[in-house]
Amino acid sequence: MTRSMLIAGCALSALLPAPAFAQMMPGMKMDMPMPAKPKPKAKPKPVVKHAHPAAHPAAPQAAPSSSPAQAGAQQRAVDEEAPPPPMTTSATGPRPAQGKEIEDATPAMPPMPDMPGMAMGPADHAYGDGSGTSRNPGNDGAMKGLHLATGDWMVMLHGYAFGVYTDQGGPRGDSQAFVGSMAMLTGTRDFGGVRLQLRSMMSLEPAMGAKGYPNLFATGETANGTTQLTDRQHPHDLFMELAARVDVDTAHGSLFLYGGPVAEPALGPSAFMHRASAQYQPLSPITHHWFDSTHISYGVVTAGYGTARWQIEASGFRGREPDQYRWNIEQPGLDSWSVRATWTPSPAWAVQVSHGWLKSPEQLEAFRNEARTTASVQYAAHGVSALLAFSNKHKLPGRVLTAWLAEANWDIDRHHTLFARAENVANDELFPNPLDPLHDRKVRVSKLESGYAYRLRFVGPFDLALGGAVGIYDKPAILDAAYGRFPLSFSLFAKVSLGH
């Protein structure tokens, strides 16, 4: 085990909350609160809430008790998904039995009908939707944003702008200010047992330039079609998703069909910008091309079957990664395939295993195909969102390159967040020049980046997070001449997000 992995394990363990925080219930705001008494009808107004139509509201908090021991017992009952107390009936309708029956003058509240076009998730909120057709833990919910009912359609808007200044240390490091961005617009309509969802996602990152931003030990794609990007992260394309999804209810779950000219196949965990464990990380993972590089694929068709606990799916897609022309839509194709199984045993967990065969993913190595296998576990409870993932990338023909990724995000309270990411990866692309003595040399490097974010209300429906992060590295001595003995990186950021 490398020195950096020991540091990573200690750092991630430090982010886990102490037992004193076990009664904290993050995100326990109900999407549609129920009034205790009937109120006059009011003119409908836009409300800020979960941006994805399949978002699953978190369970309500336990009622206050007269002692800490009682509060802890109630909290454990919520965590373990304890069934509601038995119901008794009275002249006012059903209510919880409390030993001696007490008359309740409050009228019984009739069931609230679903909002038009709103696809409700499983009754126990076992999962939340991630990018593409992936699943996240139900306790993470879905991305927050503006949620509007317009006739028979439910329209949702989500987005963020991530202003970052980063200084990547060592001889091969660089400094730069840049803005990462994403905007999503989704429309959903329910036809009674059949739901149609139209999805779009866009980014203005191509405006930062073809070379993207500095990110030490990151590799992948190209800025000019002839030179590989090294120690830099490429910008995302203007069109990140243009897709549709149809769900058809069955007796115990639903069949679904998803796809479009720009979409994400069933391979790997949810993309990093859609994971709560990475929501305040200012830089992309250096393992991005091991886990979620296919989140922008030109041409995807996915079919699957899902229940509250399981989802099985298979995809056909174009294996080639996006080229250096970031403003256009490339020619879609279906020359690669993948399969994925996801298990969501409770709202706190999401486990996936996937495998894919990619035809000619790299523009500069068109003769190589790739077999990729990934496995990941995600956890979300008590303000902590975490991920542990492994990837095995087999170049065909070529060597096997493996990677590990761990992330954690801890919302201590409404304002304060700690986060960390640890990565360990075998890379053979750090020296693309054929004349370099280390060209095509496989080396294993590690990175640990951790930081802090202060969150506050901004303007209207927007939130603001201000923070920073520091990154340290572990690498073999043969890289000292190129990277220095102890490169140190830091980043400062301001993130504006739609939704509270």
Side-chain angles (χ1 to χ4, degrees), residues 143 158-164 178-184 200-209 213 233-241 272-274 281-282 295-296 327 494-498:
M143 289 176 295
H158 166 76
Y160 66 75
F162 213 148
V164 180
F178 64 92
V179 177
S181 61
M182 180 182 70
M184 297 178 63
S200 65
M201 180 165 50
M202 304 179 73
S203 173
L204 290 179
E205 289 186 11
M208 75 173 63
Y213 59 83
Q233 167 62 34
H234 60 79
H236 289 114
D237 285 29
L238 170 65
F239 298 101
M240 300 177 72
E241 185 177 32
F272 68 90
M273 70 282 297
H274 298 274
Q281 289 283 350
H295 76 102
I296 301 179
W327 296 99
K495 183 178 183 180
V496 177
S497 305
L498 177 61

mmCIF file of all heavy atoms in Angstrom, residues 143 158-164 178-184 200-209 213 233-241 272-274 281-282 295-296 327 494-498:
data_model
loop_
_atom_site.group_PDB
_atom_site.id
_atom_site.type_symbol
_atom_site.label_atom_id
_atom_site.label_comp_id
_atom_site.label_asym_id
_atom_site.label_seq_id
_atom_site.Cartn_x
_atom_site.Cartn_y
_atom_site.Cartn_z
ATOM 1 N N MET A 143 -30.511 16.250 -8.196
ATOM 2 C CA MET A 143 -30.035 17.619 -8.258
ATOM 3 C C MET A 143 -31.192 18.585 -8.048
ATOM 4 O O MET A 143 -32.304 18.357 -8.503
ATOM 5 C CB MET A 143 -29.365 17.869 -9.602
ATOM 6 C CG MET A 143 -28.051 17.161 -9.749
ATOM 7 S SD MET A 143 -27.340 17.395 -11.377
ATOM 8 C CE MET A 143 -28.538 16.566 -12.407
ATOM 9 N N HIS A 158 -32.001 22.916 -14.073
ATOM 10 C CA HIS A 158 -30.904 22.843 -13.108
ATOM 11 C C HIS A 158 -29.652 23.384 -13.778
ATOM 12 O O HIS A 158 -29.481 23.284 -14.999
ATOM 13 C CB HIS A 158 -30.652 21.396 -12.666
ATOM 14 C CG HIS A 158 -29.346 21.226 -11.942
ATOM 15 N ND1 HIS A 158 -29.163 21.617 -10.642
ATOM 16 C CD2 HIS A 158 -28.150 20.733 -12.348
ATOM 17 C CE1 HIS A 158 -27.914 21.372 -10.269
ATOM 18 N NE2 HIS A 158 -27.284 20.829 -11.287
ATOM 19 N N GLY A 159 -28.768 23.962 -12.975
ATOM 20 C CA GLY A 159 -27.518 24.424 -13.559
ATOM 21 C C GLY A 159 -26.562 24.967 -12.514
ATOM 22 O O GLY A 159 -26.926 25.178 -11.353
ATOM 23 N N TYR A 160 -25.325 25.181 -12.933
ATOM 24 C CA TYR A 160 -24.340 25.809 -12.060
ATOM 25 C C TYR A 160 -23.259 26.465 -12.905
ATOM 26 O O TYR A 160 -23.058 26.126 -14.084
ATOM 27 C CB TYR A 160 -23.713 24.800 -11.089
ATOM 28 C CG TYR A 160 -22.855 23.722 -11.737
ATOM 29 C CD1 TYR A 160 -21.571 23.995 -12.217
ATOM 30 C CD2 TYR A 160 -23.318 22.410 -11.845
ATOM 31 C CE1 TYR A 160 -20.787 23.009 -12.794
ATOM 32 C CE2 TYR A 160 -22.542 21.421 -12.411
ATOM 33 C CZ TYR A 160 -21.279 21.727 -12.884
ATOM 34 O OH TYR A 160 -20.507 20.748 -13.462
ATOM 35 N N ALA A 161 -22.567 27.411 -12.289
ATOM 36 C CA ALA A 161 -21.351 28.012 -12.843
ATOM 37 C C ALA A 161 -20.284 27.904 -11.763
ATOM 38 O O ALA A 161 -20.495 28.332 -10.623
ATOM 39 C CB ALA A 161 -21.576 29.462 -13.239
ATOM 40 N N PHE A 162 -19.137 27.316 -12.111
ATOM 41 C CA PHE A 162 -18.087 26.969 -11.154
ATOM 42 C C PHE A 162 -16.841 27.780 -11.512
ATOM 43 O O PHE A 162 -16.061 27.401 -12.379
ATOM 44 C CB PHE A 162 -17.788 25.480 -11.257
ATOM 45 C CG PHE A 162 -17.386 24.812 -9.972
ATOM 46 C CD1 PHE A 162 -17.704 23.480 -9.737
ATOM 47 C CD2 PHE A 162 -16.679 25.491 -9.000
ATOM 48 C CE1 PHE A 162 -17.346 22.840 -8.564
ATOM 49 C CE2 PHE A 162 -16.308 24.869 -7.823
ATOM 50 C CZ PHE A 162 -16.650 23.535 -7.602
ATOM 51 N N GLY A 163 -16.657 28.941 -10.872
ATOM 52 C CA GLY A 163 -15.469 29.750 -11.112
ATOM 53 C C GLY A 163 -14.316 29.256 -10.270
ATOM 54 O O GLY A 163 -14.430 29.167 -9.038
ATOM 55 N N VAL A 164 -13.181 28.930 -10.915
ATOM 56 C CA VAL A 164 -12.051 28.305 -10.217
ATOM 57 C C VAL A 164 -10.756 29.002 -10.606
ATOM 58 O O VAL A 164 -10.542 29.343 -11.772
ATOM 59 C CB VAL A 164 -11.950 26.800 -10.563
ATOM 60 C CG1 VAL A 164 -10.770 26.159 -9.833
ATOM 61 C CG2 VAL A 164 -13.240 26.069 -10.238
ATOM 62 N N PHE A 178 -10.607 29.672 -14.594
ATOM 63 C CA PHE A 178 -11.536 29.174 -15.607
ATOM 64 C C PHE A 178 -12.918 29.045 -14.985
ATOM 65 O O PHE A 178 -13.087 29.142 -13.756
ATOM 66 C CB PHE A 178 -11.072 27.818 -16.159
ATOM 67 C CG PHE A 178 -11.048 26.717 -15.139
ATOM 68 C CD1 PHE A 178 -12.148 25.882 -14.939
ATOM 69 C CD2 PHE A 178 -9.920 26.489 -14.353
ATOM 70 C CE1 PHE A 178 -12.125 24.869 -14.007
ATOM 71 C CE2 PHE A 178 -9.895 25.476 -13.406
ATOM 72 C CZ PHE A 178 -10.997 24.671 -13.237
ATOM 73 N N VAL A 179 -13.907 28.830 -15.833
ATOM 74 C CA VAL A 179 -15.286 28.651 -15.389
ATOM 75 C C VAL A 179 -15.816 27.350 -15.968
ATOM 76 O O VAL A 179 -15.866 27.178 -17.185
ATOM 77 C CB VAL A 179 -16.190 29.817 -15.819
ATOM 78 C CG1 VAL A 179 -17.640 29.551 -15.387
ATOM 79 C CG2 VAL A 179 -15.696 31.127 -15.216
ATOM 80 N N GLY A 180 -16.180 26.419 -15.099
ATOM 81 C CA GLY A 180 -16.900 25.218 -15.519
ATOM 82 C C GLY A 180 -18.390 25.483 -15.387
ATOM 83 O O GLY A 180 -18.823 26.200 -14.482
ATOM 84 N N SER A 181 -19.185 24.915 -16.287
ATOM 85 C CA SER A 181 -20.618 25.224 -16.261
ATOM 86 C C SER A 181 -21.437 24.068 -16.802
ATOM 87 O O SER A 181 -20.937 23.219 -17.551
ATOM 88 C CB SER A 181 -20.907 26.485 -17.084
ATOM 89 O OG SER A 181 -20.539 26.300 -18.442
ATOM 90 N N MET A 182 -22.704 24.046 -16.414
ATOM 91 C CA MET A 182 -23.639 23.042 -16.895
ATOM 92 C C MET A 182 -25.049 23.579 -16.708
ATOM 93 O O MET A 182 -25.355 24.219 -15.706
ATOM 94 C CB MET A 182 -23.478 21.735 -16.131
ATOM 95 C CG MET A 182 -24.429 20.630 -16.575
ATOM 96 S SD MET A 182 -24.253 19.112 -15.599
ATOM 97 C CE MET A 182 -24.923 19.648 -14.032
ATOM 98 N N ALA A 183 -25.912 23.334 -17.685
ATOM 99 C CA ALA A 183 -27.331 23.672 -17.582
ATOM 100 C C ALA A 183 -28.141 22.500 -18.107
ATOM 101 O O ALA A 183 -27.831 21.956 -19.175
ATOM 102 C CB ALA A 183 -27.647 24.939 -18.377
ATOM 103 N N MET A 184 -29.174 22.106 -17.346
ATOM 104 C CA MET A 184 -30.024 20.980 -17.731
ATOM 105 C C MET A 184 -31.476 21.450 -17.821
ATOM 106 O O MET A 184 -31.964 22.173 -16.960
ATOM 107 C CB MET A 184 -29.928 19.852 -16.700
ATOM 108 C CG MET A 184 -28.565 19.238 -16.560
ATOM 109 S SD MET A 184 -28.532 17.945 -15.264
ATOM 110 C CE MET A 184 -29.681 16.742 -15.958
ATOM 111 N N SER A 200 -32.092 17.417 -21.876
ATOM 112 C CA SER A 200 -30.994 18.137 -22.529
ATOM 113 C C SER A 200 -30.037 18.649 -21.464
ATOM 114 O O SER A 200 -30.440 18.983 -20.350
ATOM 115 C CB SER A 200 -31.534 19.313 -23.356
ATOM 116 O OG SER A 200 -32.137 20.287 -22.524
ATOM 117 N N MET A 201 -28.771 18.682 -21.812
ATOM 118 C CA MET A 201 -27.732 19.200 -20.922
ATOM 119 C C MET A 201 -26.665 19.859 -21.788
ATOM 120 O O MET A 201 -26.222 19.287 -22.785
ATOM 121 C CB MET A 201 -27.140 18.072 -20.073
ATOM 122 C CG MET A 201 -26.046 18.523 -19.117
ATOM 123 S SD MET A 201 -25.653 17.295 -17.818
ATOM 124 C CE MET A 201 -25.425 15.805 -18.790
ATOM 125 N N MET A 202 -26.265 21.075 -21.404
ATOM 126 C CA MET A 202 -25.305 21.840 -22.200
ATOM 127 C C MET A 202 -24.273 22.477 -21.284
ATOM 128 O O MET A 202 -24.476 22.600 -20.075
ATOM 129 C CB MET A 202 -26.036 22.904 -23.029
ATOM 130 C CG MET A 202 -27.120 22.350 -23.925
ATOM 131 S SD MET A 202 -27.999 23.610 -24.869
ATOM 132 C CE MET A 202 -26.740 24.046 -26.073
ATOM 133 N N SER A 203 -23.141 22.877 -21.878
ATOM 134 C CA SER A 203 -22.068 23.517 -21.130
ATOM 135 C C SER A 203 -21.389 24.560 -22.011
ATOM 136 O O SER A 203 -21.276 24.385 -23.229
ATOM 137 C CB SER A 203 -21.031 22.470 -20.687
ATOM 138 O OG SER A 203 -19.896 23.097 -20.106
ATOM 139 N N LEU A 204 -20.937 25.644 -21.379
ATOM 140 C CA LEU A 204 -20.163 26.668 -22.089
ATOM 141 C C LEU A 204 -18.659 26.491 -21.879
ATOM 142 O O LEU A 204 -17.885 27.400 -22.166
ATOM 143 C CB LEU A 204 -20.595 28.063 -21.622
ATOM 144 C CG LEU A 204 -21.992 28.496 -22.061
ATOM 145 C CD1 LEU A 204 -22.310 29.882 -21.513
ATOM 146 C CD2 LEU A 204 -22.104 28.512 -23.593
ATOM 147 N N GLU A 205 -18.243 25.322 -21.429
ATOM 148 C CA GLU A 205 -16.815 25.078 -21.211
ATOM 149 C C GLU A 205 -15.964 25.176 -22.477
ATOM 150 O O GLU A 205 -14.767 25.483 -22.368
ATOM 151 C CB GLU A 205 -16.611 23.721 -20.544
ATOM 152 C CG GLU A 205 -17.073 23.706 -19.094
ATOM 153 C CD GLU A 205 -16.752 22.408 -18.378
ATOM 154 O OE1 GLU A 205 -15.981 21.599 -18.939
ATOM 155 O OE2 GLU A 205 -17.274 22.201 -17.269
ATOM 156 N N PRO A 206 -16.495 24.921 -23.682
ATOM 157 C CA PRO A 206 -15.642 25.126 -24.856
ATOM 158 C C PRO A 206 -15.066 26.536 -24.948
ATOM 159 O O PRO A 206 -14.020 26.741 -25.581
ATOM 160 C CB PRO A 206 -16.594 24.842 -26.026
ATOM 161 C CG PRO A 206 -17.585 23.880 -25.475
ATOM 162 C CD PRO A 206 -17.794 24.319 -24.059
ATOM 163 N N ALA A 207 -15.711 27.497 -24.276
ATOM 164 C CA ALA A 207 -15.219 28.872 -24.329
ATOM 165 C C ALA A 207 -13.904 29.047 -23.579
ATOM 166 O O ALA A 207 -13.194 30.036 -23.800
ATOM 167 C CB ALA A 207 -16.272 29.826 -23.761
ATOM 168 N N MET A 208 -13.538 28.096 -22.692
ATOM 169 C CA MET A 208 -12.278 28.237 -21.967
ATOM 170 C C MET A 208 -11.073 27.915 -22.847
ATOM 171 O O MET A 208 -9.932 28.146 -22.438
ATOM 172 C CB MET A 208 -12.279 27.351 -20.715
ATOM 173 C CG MET A 208 -12.085 25.886 -20.957
ATOM 174 S SD MET A 208 -11.875 24.886 -19.438
ATOM 175 C CE MET A 208 -13.428 25.104 -18.604
ATOM 176 N N GLY A 209 -11.294 27.377 -24.036
ATOM 177 C CA GLY A 209 -10.198 27.041 -24.923
ATOM 178 C C GLY A 209 -10.015 25.551 -25.069
ATOM 179 O O GLY A 209 -10.391 24.774 -24.173
ATOM 180 N N TYR A 213 -8.080 23.096 -18.719
ATOM 181 C CA TYR A 213 -7.416 23.718 -17.568
ATOM 182 C C TYR A 213 -6.373 22.772 -16.990
ATOM 183 O O TYR A 213 -6.435 21.553 -17.191
ATOM 184 C CB TYR A 213 -8.439 24.117 -16.496
ATOM 185 C CG TYR A 213 -9.276 22.992 -15.951
ATOM 186 C CD1 TYR A 213 -8.804 22.157 -14.929
ATOM 187 C CD2 TYR A 213 -10.565 22.758 -16.430
ATOM 188 C CE1 TYR A 213 -9.580 21.137 -14.411
ATOM 189 C CE2 TYR A 213 -11.351 21.742 -15.914
ATOM 190 C CZ TYR A 213 -10.856 20.935 -14.902
ATOM 191 O OH TYR A 213 -11.634 19.926 -14.392
ATOM 192 N N GLN A 233 -7.030 18.946 -18.032
ATOM 193 C CA GLN A 233 -8.363 18.379 -18.202
ATOM 194 C C GLN A 233 -9.037 19.076 -19.376
ATOM 195 O O GLN A 233 -9.146 20.300 -19.406
ATOM 196 C CB GLN A 233 -9.195 18.574 -16.935
ATOM 197 C CG GLN A 233 -10.683 18.291 -17.109
ATOM 198 C CD GLN A 233 -10.983 16.852 -17.497
ATOM 199 O OE1 GLN A 233 -10.295 15.938 -17.065
ATOM 200 N NE2 GLN A 233 -12.000 16.663 -18.310
ATOM 201 N N HIS A 234 -9.497 18.284 -20.347
ATOM 202 C CA HIS A 234 -10.170 18.853 -21.514
ATOM 203 C C HIS A 234 -11.509 19.474 -21.122
ATOM 204 O O HIS A 234 -12.144 19.047 -20.146
ATOM 205 C CB HIS A 234 -10.413 17.757 -22.557
ATOM 206 C CG HIS A 234 -11.276 16.637 -22.054
ATOM 207 N ND1 HIS A 234 -12.651 16.712 -21.963
ATOM 208 C CD2 HIS A 234 -10.953 15.398 -21.579
ATOM 209 C CE1 HIS A 234 -13.145 15.589 -21.487
ATOM 210 N NE2 HIS A 234 -12.131 14.768 -21.238
ATOM 211 N N PRO A 235 -11.988 20.483 -21.856
ATOM 212 C CA PRO A 235 -13.327 21.017 -21.582
ATOM 213 C C PRO A 235 -14.400 20.056 -22.075
ATOM 214 O O PRO A 235 -14.177 19.257 -22.986
ATOM 215 C CB PRO A 235 -13.342 22.323 -22.395
ATOM 216 C CG PRO A 235 -12.387 22.073 -23.526
ATOM 217 C CD PRO A 235 -11.311 21.174 -22.973
ATOM 218 N N HIS A 236 -15.583 20.112 -21.468
ATOM 219 C CA HIS A 236 -16.706 19.331 -21.957
ATOM 220 C C HIS A 236 -17.303 19.988 -23.194
ATOM 221 O O HIS A 236 -17.134 21.184 -23.434
ATOM 222 C CB HIS A 236 -17.773 19.191 -20.875
ATOM 223 C CG HIS A 236 -17.366 18.302 -19.750
ATOM 224 N ND1 HIS A 236 -17.170 18.754 -18.466
ATOM 225 C CD2 HIS A 236 -17.087 16.976 -19.726
ATOM 226 C CE1 HIS A 236 -16.802 17.747 -17.698
ATOM 227 N NE2 HIS A 236 -16.737 16.662 -18.440
ATOM 228 N N ASP A 237 -18.011 19.191 -23.983
ATOM 229 C CA ASP A 237 -18.632 19.704 -25.197
ATOM 230 C C ASP A 237 -19.836 20.580 -24.877
ATOM 231 O O ASP A 237 -20.419 20.506 -23.797
ATOM 232 C CB ASP A 237 -19.079 18.533 -26.084
ATOM 233 C CG ASP A 237 -17.912 17.862 -26.787
ATOM 234 O OD1 ASP A 237 -16.804 17.885 -26.228
ATOM 235 O OD2 ASP A 237 -18.108 17.317 -27.877
ATOM 236 N N LEU A 238 -20.217 21.419 -25.846
ATOM 237 C CA LEU A 238 -21.410 22.252 -25.708
ATOM 238 C C LEU A 238 -22.630 21.384 -25.427
ATOM 239 O O LEU A 238 -23.405 21.663 -24.516
ATOM 240 C CB LEU A 238 -21.623 23.078 -26.973
ATOM 241 C CG LEU A 238 -22.955 23.831 -27.071
ATOM 242 C CD1 LEU A 238 -23.055 24.909 -25.992
ATOM 243 C CD2 LEU A 238 -23.118 24.452 -28.469
ATOM 244 N N PHE A 239 -22.810 20.325 -26.210
ATOM 245 C CA PHE A 239 -23.943 19.422 -26.031
ATOM 246 C C PHE A 239 -23.474 18.211 -25.216
ATOM 247 O O PHE A 239 -22.735 17.366 -25.714
ATOM 248 C CB PHE A 239 -24.508 18.975 -27.379
ATOM 249 C CG PHE A 239 -25.049 20.106 -28.203
ATOM 250 C CD1 PHE A 239 -24.305 20.637 -29.235
ATOM 251 C CD2 PHE A 239 -26.299 20.647 -27.926
ATOM 252 C CE1 PHE A 239 -24.794 21.690 -30.000
ATOM 253 C CE2 PHE A 239 -26.794 21.703 -28.674
ATOM 254 C CZ PHE A 239 -26.043 22.221 -29.706
ATOM 255 N N MET A 240 -23.927 18.128 -23.971
ATOM 256 C CA MET A 240 -23.563 17.019 -23.104
ATOM 257 C C MET A 240 -24.627 15.930 -23.095
ATOM 258 O O MET A 240 -24.336 14.774 -22.791
ATOM 259 C CB MET A 240 -23.330 17.530 -21.684
ATOM 260 C CG MET A 240 -22.227 18.567 -21.587
ATOM 261 S SD MET A 240 -22.042 19.222 -19.906
ATOM 262 C CE MET A 240 -21.318 17.830 -19.054
ATOM 263 N N GLU A 241 -25.866 16.292 -23.396
ATOM 264 C CA GLU A 241 -26.940 15.302 -23.471
ATOM 265 C C GLU A 241 -28.085 15.866 -24.303
ATOM 266 O O GLU A 241 -28.541 16.988 -24.078
ATOM 267 C CB GLU A 241 -27.453 14.916 -22.088
ATOM 268 C CG GLU A 241 -28.485 13.790 -22.117
ATOM 269 C CD GLU A 241 -28.938 13.354 -20.738
ATOM 270 O OE1 GLU A 241 -28.975 14.207 -19.829
ATOM 271 O OE2 GLU A 241 -29.261 12.162 -20.564
ATOM 272 N N PHE A 272 -19.012 12.279 -12.496
ATOM 273 C CA PHE A 272 -18.569 12.958 -11.279
ATOM 274 C C PHE A 272 -19.342 14.235 -10.995
ATOM 275 O O PHE A 272 -19.574 14.579 -9.831
ATOM 276 C CB PHE A 272 -17.053 13.241 -11.348
ATOM 277 C CG PHE A 272 -16.628 14.255 -12.374
ATOM 278 C CD1 PHE A 272 -16.558 15.597 -12.073
ATOM 279 C CD2 PHE A 272 -16.260 13.849 -13.654
ATOM 280 C CE1 PHE A 272 -16.145 16.527 -13.014
ATOM 281 C CE2 PHE A 272 -15.842 14.769 -14.607
ATOM 282 C CZ PHE A 272 -15.790 16.116 -14.289
ATOM 283 N N MET A 273 -19.791 14.978 -12.017
ATOM 284 C CA MET A 273 -20.527 16.214 -11.742
ATOM 285 C C MET A 273 -21.957 15.957 -11.282
ATOM 286 O O MET A 273 -22.665 16.886 -10.914
ATOM 287 C CB MET A 273 -20.514 17.139 -12.965
ATOM 288 C CG MET A 273 -21.335 16.675 -14.147
ATOM 289 S SD MET A 273 -20.526 15.375 -15.100
ATOM 290 C CE MET A 273 -19.080 16.249 -15.672
ATOM 291 N N HIS A 274 -22.383 14.685 -11.288
ATOM 292 C CA HIS A 274 -23.718 14.321 -10.826
ATOM 293 C C HIS A 274 -23.665 13.515 -9.527
ATOM 294 O O HIS A 274 -24.677 12.954 -9.121
ATOM 295 C CB HIS A 274 -24.445 13.509 -11.896
ATOM 296 C CG HIS A 274 -24.656 14.268 -13.170
ATOM 297 N ND1 HIS A 274 -25.737 15.090 -13.381
ATOM 298 C CD2 HIS A 274 -23.900 14.337 -14.304
ATOM 299 C CE1 HIS A 274 -25.650 15.626 -14.592
ATOM 300 N NE2 HIS A 274 -24.544 15.187 -15.157
ATOM 301 N N GLN A 281 -15.898 19.490 -5.429
ATOM 302 C CA GLN A 281 -14.542 19.273 -5.931
ATOM 303 C C GLN A 281 -14.288 20.231 -7.097
ATOM 304 O O GLN A 281 -14.995 20.201 -8.100
ATOM 305 C CB GLN A 281 -14.368 17.839 -6.401
ATOM 306 C CG GLN A 281 -14.333 16.810 -5.287
ATOM 307 C CD GLN A 281 -12.996 16.791 -4.562
ATOM 308 O OE1 GLN A 281 -12.026 17.418 -4.987
ATOM 309 N NE2 GLN A 281 -12.948 16.073 -3.447
ATOM 310 N N PRO A 282 -13.274 21.105 -7.017
ATOM 311 C CA PRO A 282 -13.073 22.092 -8.070
ATOM 312 C C PRO A 282 -12.516 21.525 -9.373
ATOM 313 O O PRO A 282 -12.680 22.137 -10.430
ATOM 314 C CB PRO A 282 -12.088 23.082 -7.450
ATOM 315 C CG PRO A 282 -11.350 22.285 -6.418
ATOM 316 C CD PRO A 282 -12.337 21.282 -5.890
ATOM 317 N N HIS A 295 -19.515 9.595 -20.453
ATOM 318 C CA HIS A 295 -20.741 10.319 -20.098
ATOM 319 C C HIS A 295 -21.186 11.265 -21.213
ATOM 320 O O HIS A 295 -22.334 11.712 -21.215
ATOM 321 C CB HIS A 295 -20.569 11.064 -18.766
ATOM 322 C CG HIS A 295 -19.748 12.314 -18.851
ATOM 323 N ND1 HIS A 295 -20.297 13.574 -18.870
ATOM 324 C CD2 HIS A 295 -18.413 12.488 -18.915
ATOM 325 C CE1 HIS A 295 -19.337 14.471 -18.922
ATOM 326 N NE2 HIS A 295 -18.177 13.844 -18.954
ATOM 327 N N ILE A 296 -20.301 11.573 -22.161
ATOM 328 C CA ILE A 296 -20.702 12.245 -23.399
ATOM 329 C C ILE A 296 -20.344 11.294 -24.535
ATOM 330 O O ILE A 296 -19.180 11.169 -24.914
ATOM 331 C CB ILE A 296 -19.991 13.592 -23.592
ATOM 332 C CG1 ILE A 296 -20.292 14.538 -22.426
ATOM 333 C CG2 ILE A 296 -20.426 14.235 -24.911
ATOM 334 C CD1 ILE A 296 -19.596 15.883 -22.536
ATOM 335 N N TRP A 327 -17.915 22.499 -30.100
ATOM 336 C CA TRP A 327 -19.159 23.241 -30.282
ATOM 337 C C TRP A 327 -20.179 22.487 -31.120
ATOM 338 O O TRP A 327 -21.332 22.921 -31.244
ATOM 339 C CB TRP A 327 -18.887 24.600 -30.927
ATOM 340 C CG TRP A 327 -18.053 25.526 -30.097
ATOM 341 C CD1 TRP A 327 -16.713 25.760 -30.225
ATOM 342 C CD2 TRP A 327 -18.493 26.337 -29.001
ATOM 343 N NE1 TRP A 327 -16.285 26.670 -29.284
ATOM 344 C CE2 TRP A 327 -17.364 27.045 -28.523
ATOM 345 C CE3 TRP A 327 -19.726 26.536 -28.378
ATOM 346 C CZ2 TRP A 327 -17.447 27.946 -27.461
ATOM 347 C CZ3 TRP A 327 -19.804 27.429 -27.307
ATOM 348 C CH2 TRP A 327 -18.679 28.117 -26.861
ATOM 349 N N ALA A 494 -15.622 29.576 -6.436
ATOM 350 C CA ALA A 494 -16.959 30.084 -6.105
ATOM 351 C C ALA A 494 -17.938 29.379 -7.036
ATOM 352 O O ALA A 494 -17.808 29.462 -8.264
ATOM 353 C CB ALA A 494 -17.023 31.606 -6.292
ATOM 354 N N LYS A 495 -18.887 28.674 -6.438
ATOM 355 C CA LYS A 495 -19.848 27.906 -7.224
ATOM 356 C C LYS A 495 -21.250 28.443 -6.979
ATOM 357 O O LYS A 495 -21.733 28.463 -5.850
ATOM 358 C CB LYS A 495 -19.787 26.422 -6.862
ATOM 359 C CG LYS A 495 -20.730 25.548 -7.697
ATOM 360 C CD LYS A 495 -20.590 24.075 -7.335
ATOM 361 C CE LYS A 495 -21.483 23.202 -8.227
ATOM 362 N NZ LYS A 495 -21.364 21.771 -7.900
ATOM 363 N N VAL A 496 -21.908 28.860 -8.062
ATOM 364 C CA VAL A 496 -23.289 29.323 -8.001
ATOM 365 C C VAL A 496 -24.176 28.219 -8.594
ATOM 366 O O VAL A 496 -23.965 27.787 -9.731
ATOM 367 C CB VAL A 496 -23.477 30.631 -8.773
ATOM 368 C CG1 VAL A 496 -24.947 31.057 -8.745
ATOM 369 C CG2 VAL A 496 -22.591 31.724 -8.193
ATOM 370 N N SER A 497 -25.162 27.743 -7.812
ATOM 371 C CA SER A 497 -26.018 26.655 -8.235
ATOM 372 C C SER A 497 -27.482 27.092 -8.173
ATOM 373 O O SER A 497 -27.876 27.852 -7.287
ATOM 374 C CB SER A 497 -25.825 25.413 -7.349
ATOM 375 O OG SER A 497 -24.475 25.012 -7.310
ATOM 376 N N LEU A 498 -28.273 26.580 -9.084
ATOM 377 C CA LEU A 498 -29.703 26.834 -9.087
ATOM 378 C C LEU A 498 -30.389 25.853 -8.142
ATOM 379 O O LEU A 498 -30.283 24.635 -8.326
ATOM 380 C CB LEU A 498 -30.278 26.676 -10.493
ATOM 381 C CG LEU A 498 -31.793 26.853 -10.639
ATOM 382 C CD1 LEU A 498 -32.219 28.244 -10.209
ATOM 383 C CD2 LEU A 498 -32.217 26.587 -12.084
#
